[in-house]
Amino acid sequence: YSELADRVAELHARGIVQGNITQSSAVLTAKGKARLSLTSAIGGDESLDLDALRILLKTMGGHPAAVCNAEAAAVLAAELRS
């Protein structure tokens, strides 16, 4: 699960907001690598990605964290690793 949060953090660091994170846009490969499709990206505020990521992780059985600052995806990734 931290792989997905890492990908979101990387996008946000580059100024990219996916804006439409769902099960069809976020995929874990057989080797556990996260892939996040940008073909369905709609842009917007980073909070869209963070809210969608929390919902997705909860759906997938992960443990979404309640963080809302500018580095929230990176913080979420670190919390998921611990």
Side-chain angles (χ1 to χ4, degrees):
Y1 301 115
S2 64
E3 286 272 334
L4 288 173
D6 284 337
R7 297 297 81 79
V8 172
E10 290 170 9
L11 289 175
H12 289 180
R14 294 179 9 210
I16 301 169
V17 176
Q18 204 278 351
N20 191 30
I21 298 173
T22 64
Q23 285 183 328
S24 61
S25 65
V27 178
L28 287 177
T29 68
K31 293 182 179 183
K33 297 292 181 184
R35 299 287 182 246
L36 189 58
S37 170
L38 294 179
T39 57
S40 62
I42 60 172
D45 187 272
E46 289 181 0
S47 64
L48 291 173
D49 283 350
L50 300 173
D51 291 341
L53 184 59
R54 286 187 195 98
I55 291 167
L56 179 63
L57 292 176
K58 186 172 183 171
T59 301
M60 294 171 64
H63 306 285
V67 293
C68 298
N69 60 35
E71 297 173 338
V75 172
L76 179 58
E79 288 185 12
L80 289 169
R81 277 198 237 21
S82 62

